[in-house]
Amino acid sequence: MKKIAFFTFLLFSFLGYSQKKSLEAQLITESISIDGKLNEPAWQNAPIASDFVMYQPDNGKPIPENQKTEVKVLYNNDAIYVGVMMYDNEPNKILKEISQRDNFGTADIFGVFINGFNDGQQSFEFFVSAADVQGDCIMTDVNGEDYSWDAVWISKAAMTDNGWIVEIKIPYAALRFSEEDKQIWGINFFREIKRERKKYTWNLIDTKLGTFTQQNGLLEGIQNIKPPTRLFLMPYASYYLNAADHQKTYATIKGGMDIKYGINDAFTLDAILIPDFGQTKYDDQILNLGPFEQQFNENRAFFTEGTDLFNKGNMFYSRRIGGRPSTEPTLNEHEEIIEEVQNVNLINALKISGRTKKGLGVGILNAITEKTFTTIKDTISGETRREVVEPLTNYNVLVLDQRFRKNSSVTLINTNVTRNGNFRDANVTGLAWDLNTKANTYNLSGNVKYSLINDTEDKNGVFSTLSFAETSGNYRYSLGSDFVSKDFDPNDLGINFYTNYYNFYGNGNYRILNPTKLFNSFKIDYDMYLELNKDSGKVQENKISSEVNITTIKNNYYGLGVVFYPLESNDYYEPRAENRYVIIPRKIETWGSISTNYNKKFALDLNPSIIFTNEAGRMAYGADIGPRYRFNDKLLLTYTFSFNRKNNNKGYIDSIDDDNNESTPETIIFANRNVITYSNTLSGKYALNSAMTLNLAVRQYWSYAENKENLELQPDGTLTPYPEYTENKNSSFYSWNTDLSYSWWFAPGSQLSILYRNNASNFERVIDKDFKHNVSALLNNEALKHIFSISVKYFIDYNAVKNKVRKRA
């Protein structure tokens, strides 16, 4: 009997899990109050979606009866409504930390995933936590979850004696669907029980397959609705008060508007009129001793929201728009810059994006920055002059992405930068492909890019990559190769550092798909990488690595990795000179990572690492230590201390040209140096309620490079002593940033933000190793700037205004 019952269970499991579940949406005429009570009669008669199954960690296991979840869906001419009852046998243990929007902290979560075209391409995901905090994102299999996308919708979570309830209203303006009379949407429901770290979905998401968005269930029954006019206006006003020691305090008032317009059922126009990014998060600057610029994260909402199409082919780096000028001023003798430009002002920007029913995604982004001058002073005569460092510039990105079979795509991308006058122009075109078998078991991906630069000397280059991977099951692997020509240059609107090479790489990994007695998750990776200079055939990079990542039954994470560099490599970039290279010795690196269960009030993150080379005394080591403490559901503090030390590091400091002999190569000076870095970061959150939070972010950073011996780079890549060079090229950079902010979502889509910020940074050649003195000097000198700002943005929905006017009429 036990065997019969077992095989019967397997049969029903197979029949249930191999087919998409379906739910009928109920048409309503009565009004629904979003209060978390589900007491309207329409809720009582609606069909129920239940029988949730586990997504992680024990994939496919049914949810316990005492934690069952029941979901109902209603609709009318304006919106769909989702009502959820989540039972819990221990309701007093439900975690409900209050956090900011899109950051759920330690709280139970409910989510609804909607694909209005039921094409498996992307889902709009809406989440509500047990603390009544909203989150939303766009989900694609290629790019994952993009939480920079924000919609305007209404929800309410409420606790009960036997669990908790969520009630949601999602206006059609927040979704995308066709104009057909009879709608069939892809839909799934999600629940996370945080204290157990268990995630469930209504329709099974099979983790053996390399896809998420194609495993939705079906929502049927919605008829005779029409996509609304999607026109949203977001006017804003900002006030800034700037002050610094020994400088005049001044106030600035700004105002402008963002516009979102639904061109049709699939495409949306986003536009910025008079941009204002004054409250954007500060950049974490570092002491950059390398040959390449520091890459920063994008924190401006316009350039992060809904940009999955523009990220295809890895050709778009949005920080180029409104970043530093593209040219440096020409200084004559006895001249100096007295007004250096840090960022070019953005005049306006717009983007059009969407996808047709047949799977064609179209993305167009355009931005214009203003003509920018720097001020230069003659130190003898005192006269000043202005020089253009960035002309009026147009940035443009075009993407055509054709998806097919719900899991594959071919993409054409073009980026173009046109500068007014006799300045550098750039054009880059790419073709990318991401091809998956019907069963999502194998993947073939790659791209080809071509760059064309029009400057004083035109140049063009090519980048190509191809990889093949098995993407399902316990054992998976991948193989690939890249080829990059010397003159490939996408950096006017993209970012790429390494050129003139070809490489080969491979990966093999094993993972468990269901928990064991010891682990909730276990994965081991093995990687190999070899990179060769295209002209000389010399090894530029090589490594063999292995790492293990584990989550225990108690939800503590452990990671361990070892990286071998078995061959000497040749760095063609650090010398900052054509066809010159420096030899990098063989080395071995090991690292560890520990992250204890965040469900507990106290948790700790620890990440140590150490590198040994086969060169005497040359090594590096460091660690990040991050304790965090959740005092209650409202207050959380996180602190991170980072330390890193490089002993006998070899790096470029200067070069000397022999102007009298063109046949003699320039002398390239390196230094044998110790590089030490400290940073302290404190972040805190106090939530007054789910709509109001106080946030604190403090970062202190100090890094210095102390040169012990000057070295000359030889033509064969070796370094020899060079005592003739005596100039001080020590480096010491320290910075301070503080953000204290108050955020209030006073209406759907409408926000009041109050921010106090102070920041300062300094670079010196003289190293003061008194840590306390360094920090106090930075906080008490005239470089410290204070900014107080208030910003209000208000969300206006054309449909809501139109309905109000009709009612009054």
Side-chain angles (χ1 to χ4, degrees):
M1 286 297 294
K2 288 184 178 180
K3 290 185 177 180
I4 295 175
F6 175 73
F7 286 112
T8 302
F9 169 76
L10 288 181
L11 175 63
F12 278 101
S13 297
F14 174 78
L15 292 174
Y17 296 162
S18 63
Q19 298 179 3
K20 289 181 178 291
K21 294 180 179 179
S22 64
L23 175 67
E24 191 86 7
Q26 186 83 33
L27 175 65
I28 58 171
T29 55
E30 65 183 286
S31 61
I32 300 293
S33 176
I34 306 302
D35 54 12
K37 295 182 179 179
L38 304 181
N39 53 3
E40 290 86 358
W43 289 121
Q44 313 310 314
N45 303 319
I48 299 174
S50 57
D51 299 327
F52 278 50
V53 291
M54 193 178 297
Y55 169 52
Q56 289 178 342
D58 200 353
N59 189 232
K61 182 178 180 179
I63 194 169
E65 179 65 22
N66 57 17
Q67 293 176 326
K68 67 180 180 179
T69 304
E70 297 178 342
V71 186
K72 302 177 181 181
V73 176
L74 311 174
Y75 78 98
N76 58 20
N77 290 327
D78 301 316
I80 71 163
Y81 300 80
V82 180
V84 194
M85 178 65 218
M86 286 164 282
Y87 292 90
D88 197 304
N89 59 317
E90 297 179 296
N92 60 313
K93 293 184 179 180
I94 294 174
L95 296 173
K96 46 185 183 297
E97 179 189 356
I98 307 173
S99 56
Q100 297 184 77
R101 182 184 177 121
D102 292 336
N103 180 7
F104 302 112
T106 306
D108 281 27
I109 305 169
F110 172 79
V112 53
F113 308 158
I114 298 175
N115 182 333
F117 293 101
N118 190 31
D119 57 7
Q121 295 171 20
Q122 70 176 13
S123 293
F124 294 86
E125 300 185 350
F126 304 86
F127 298 93
V128 182
S129 78
D132 200 29
V133 176
Q134 284 188 352
D136 46 24
C137 68
I138 294 176
M139 170 66 184
T140 62
D141 284 333
V142 176
N143 297 305
E145 293 178 324
D146 175 14
Y147 280 94
S148 64
W149 178 78
D150 287 321
V152 177
W153 48 290
I154 305 172
S155 62
K156 182 63 180 177
M159 307 303 296
T160 70
D161 292 337
N162 52 3
W164 61 295
I165 291 174
V166 169
E167 195 169 19
I168 300 172
K169 176 184 178 181
I170 305 174
Y172 294 136
L175 301 171
R176 306 289 182 272
F177 53 90
S178 70
E179 295 182 349
E180 296 177 359
D181 292 337
K182 186 177 181 180
Q183 301 281 330
I184 298 179
W185 293 357
I187 197 165
N188 213 343
F189 307 111
F190 171 88
R191 179 183 179 184
E192 180 176 8
I193 301 175
K194 195 71 175 182
R195 70 178 182 275
E196 299 177 356
R197 291 291 183 96
K198 293 179 178 178
K199 300 176 181 180
Y200 298 89
T201 58
W202 171 59
N203 201 76
L204 173 68
I205 304 296
D206 190 343
T207 56
K208 291 192 295 293
L209 303 178
T211 180
F212 188 94
T213 59
Q214 296 165 48
Q215 301 191 64
N216 286 335
L218 300 176
L219 182 66
E220 301 175 317
I222 298 179
Q223 300 183 50
N224 302 317
I225 63 171
K226 298 296 180 183
T229 301
R230 291 184 287 115
L231 176 59
F232 310 125
L233 307 176
M234 283 158 282
Y236 63 82
S238 303
Y239 170 81
Y240 295 92
L241 183 65
N242 295 266
D245 289 349
H246 309 298
Q247 296 184 25
K248 183 178 179 180
T249 299
Y250 63 94
T252 305
I253 297 177
K254 295 183 179 181
M257 182 181 295
D258 294 349
I259 297 174
K260 291 181 181 290
Y261 173 64
I263 300 172
N264 55 27
D265 60 332
F267 293 94
T268 301
L269 166 70
D270 294 83
I272 303 177
L273 305 179
I274 314 177
D276 178 19
F277 302 123
Q279 290 196 335
T280 301
K281 182 184 181 297
Y282 58 78
D283 292 322
D284 292 339
Q285 290 184 303
I286 63 171
L287 174 62
N288 186 5
L289 300 172
F292 307 117
E293 64 183 296
Q294 182 182 352
Q295 184 173 357
F296 294 108
N297 293 328
E298 179 59 86
N299 297 312
R300 299 169 295 179
F302 176 84
F303 292 106
T304 59
E305 181 180 331
T307 55
D308 57 300
L309 272 174
F310 301 103
N311 293 326
K312 293 278 187 174
N314 195 28
M315 290 173 55
F316 178 47
Y317 177 47
S318 58
R319 289 298 296 265
R320 298 292 185 208
I321 303 173
R324 292 186 64 85
S326 60
T327 66
E328 295 289 339
T330 302
L331 298 180
N332 299 317
E333 191 176 2
H334 308 302
E335 284 189 332
E336 65 180 7
I337 300 172
I338 62 172
E339 184 183 340
E340 186 171 3
V341 180
Q342 298 296 326
N343 296 289
V344 176
N345 288 331
L346 178 67
I347 297 176
N348 55 51
L350 65 85
K351 61 187 177 191
I352 297 172
S353 60
R355 195 178 291 275
T356 68
K357 286 193 300 181
K358 295 184 178 180
L360 177 62
V362 179
I364 300 172
L365 186 146
N366 183 265
I368 300 174
T369 57
E370 69 178 13
K371 186 176 184 179
T372 306
F373 297 84
T374 190
T375 303
I376 299 171
K377 180 181 179 180
D378 189 302
T379 57
I380 297 177
S381 66
E383 294 181 355
T384 61
R385 64 181 179 90
R386 301 177 75 207
E387 182 175 328
V388 177
V389 289
E390 185 71 22
L392 183 71
T393 304
N394 182 83
Y395 297 87
N396 194 75
V397 183
L398 170 65
V399 182
L400 300 174
D401 178 62
Q402 180 62 59
R403 290 187 65 87
F404 52 94
R405 211 170 54 225
K406 295 187 177 183
N407 68 350
S408 299
S409 67
V410 176
T411 311
L412 177 68
I413 318 106
N414 177 264
T415 66
N416 181 274
V417 179
T418 303
R419 297 182 173 92
N420 190 41
N422 297 319
F423 287 82
R424 168 181 165 128
D425 298 330
N427 191 83
V428 185
T429 301
L431 179 68
W433 56 90
D434 180 32
L435 310 176
N436 295 277
T437 56
K438 187 175 181 179
N440 288 294
T441 52
Y442 295 96
N443 171 269
L444 180 68
S445 61
N447 58 66
V448 177
K449 308 171 193 176
Y450 174 78
S451 67
L452 176 62
I453 306 299
N454 296 314
D455 204 350
T456 54
E457 182 180 342
D458 294 350
K459 64 177 183 177
N460 55 67
V462 176
F463 177 104
S464 65
T465 182
L466 182 67
S467 66
F468 175 79
E470 182 181 9
T471 57
S472 66
N474 296 86
Y475 295 92
R476 306 183 190 188
Y477 65 88
S478 64
L479 300 168
S481 179
D482 302 336
F483 172 87
V484 189
S485 68
K486 188 173 185 177
D487 290 330
F488 177 70
D489 186 357
N491 290 313
D492 291 79
L493 197 44
I495 188 164
N496 183 75
F497 297 142
Y498 299 94
T499 63
N500 199 38
Y501 71 87
Y502 56 95
N503 65 26
F504 306 95
Y505 49 87
N507 167 270
N509 61 76
Y510 169 80
R511 71 197 69 194
I512 62 171
L513 299 176
N514 296 90
T516 66
K517 292 181 179 180
L518 298 176
F519 308 125
N520 274 337
S521 67
F522 176 93
K523 183 183 178 185
I524 182 167
D525 277 274
Y526 176 78
D527 294 274
M528 296 183 66
Y529 182 85
L530 177 65
E531 180 182 303
L532 304 170
N533 182 271
K534 187 172 70 68
D535 292 336
S536 67
K538 290 181 179 292
V539 174
Q540 287 192 171
E541 183 67 85
N542 68 104
K543 67 177 181 180
I544 300 172
S545 63
S546 181
E547 66 177 74
V548 179
N549 295 281
I550 297 167
T551 304
T552 67
I553 291 295
K554 294 185 178 181
N555 291 304
N556 296 313
Y557 165 80
Y558 300 94
L560 178 65
V562 180
V563 186
F564 296 94
Y565 300 83
L567 305 174
E568 284 186 342
S569 57
N570 302 273
D571 189 338
Y572 280 82
Y573 306 97
E574 184 64 23
R576 278 84 152 171
E578 190 82 6
N579 299 320
R580 300 293 299 273
Y581 60 91
V582 61
I583 295 175
I584 305 299
R586 295 186 294 272
K587 56 186 177 181
I588 180 172
E589 175 182 0
T590 183
W591 57 268
S593 183
I594 298 173
S595 182
T596 63
N597 191 346
Y598 281 14
N599 284 353
K600 298 180 179 180
K601 287 184 176 292
F602 176 80
L604 178 69
D605 294 319
L606 176 62
N607 301 283
S609 64
I610 189 166
I611 301 174
F612 299 98
T613 74
N614 69 340
E615 183 179 302
R618 187 170 180 175
M619 66 177 300
Y621 56 91
D624 300 330
I625 303 172
R628 52 185 286 138
Y629 191 78
R630 190 176 73 254
F631 294 84
N632 50 46
D633 287 339
K634 294 185 174 183
L635 179 61
L636 171 70
L637 288 178
T638 302
Y639 167 72
T640 302
F641 170 73
S642 297
F643 171 78
N644 183 269
R645 182 182 179 99
K646 300 176 182 178
N647 291 335
N648 292 314
N649 173 262
K650 309 297 192 296
Y652 170 94
I653 58 171
D654 204 354
S655 59
I656 304 171
D657 283 324
D658 187 349
D659 297 329
N660 298 322
N661 189 347
E662 294 183 0
S663 64
T664 302
E666 62 182 327
T667 301
I668 299 174
I669 313 300
F670 274 57
N672 182 20
R673 62 199 180 189
N674 291 338
V675 183
I676 295 93
T677 302
Y678 304 89
S679 72
N680 293 274
T681 304
L682 175 67
S683 61
K685 173 243 11 178
Y686 182 78
L688 286 79
N689 53 47
S690 61
M692 293 186 189
T693 55
L694 287 166
N695 301 283
L696 174 68
V698 180
R699 177 179 182 260
Q700 174 275 325
Y701 174 90
W702 178 34
S703 182
Y704 66 88
E706 185 175 22
N707 300 330
K708 302 188 296 180
E709 180 186 18
N710 296 324
L711 307 167
E712 180 183 2
L713 177 65
Q714 301 300 316
D716 64 355
T718 59
L719 297 166
T720 58
Y722 193 70
E724 296 92 324
Y725 187 87
T726 57
E727 187 173 345
N728 177 17
K729 286 292 183 175
N730 289 336
S731 300
S732 180
F733 174 75
Y734 39 99
S735 66
W736 175 276
N737 294 90
T738 300
D739 275 14
L740 178 62
S741 63
Y742 165 78
S743 176
W744 175 29
W745 292 90
F746 58 88
S750 303
Q751 184 181 25
L752 168 68
S753 299
I754 301 175
L755 170 68
Y756 166 71
R757 168 177 293 168
N758 64 49
N759 62 84
S761 62
N762 194 23
F763 176 83
E764 295 177 338
R765 292 294 183 189
V766 177
I767 300 175
D768 180 359
K769 295 185 180 180
D770 187 329
F771 183 87
K772 181 179 179 181
H773 179 263
N774 265 325
V775 175
S776 61
L778 191 64
L779 294 177
N780 292 303
N781 71 12
E782 60 184 32
L784 185 65
K785 299 177 182 179
H786 305 268
I787 301 173
F788 175 79
S789 61
I790 302 175
S791 181
V792 180
K793 69 174 182 179
Y794 189 75
F795 177 83
I796 301 173
D797 183 354
Y798 164 81
N799 298 289
V801 174
K802 181 179 67 174
N803 292 337
K804 287 183 179 180
V805 171
R806 284 179 177 177
K807 288 180 180 180
R808 290 176 180 174

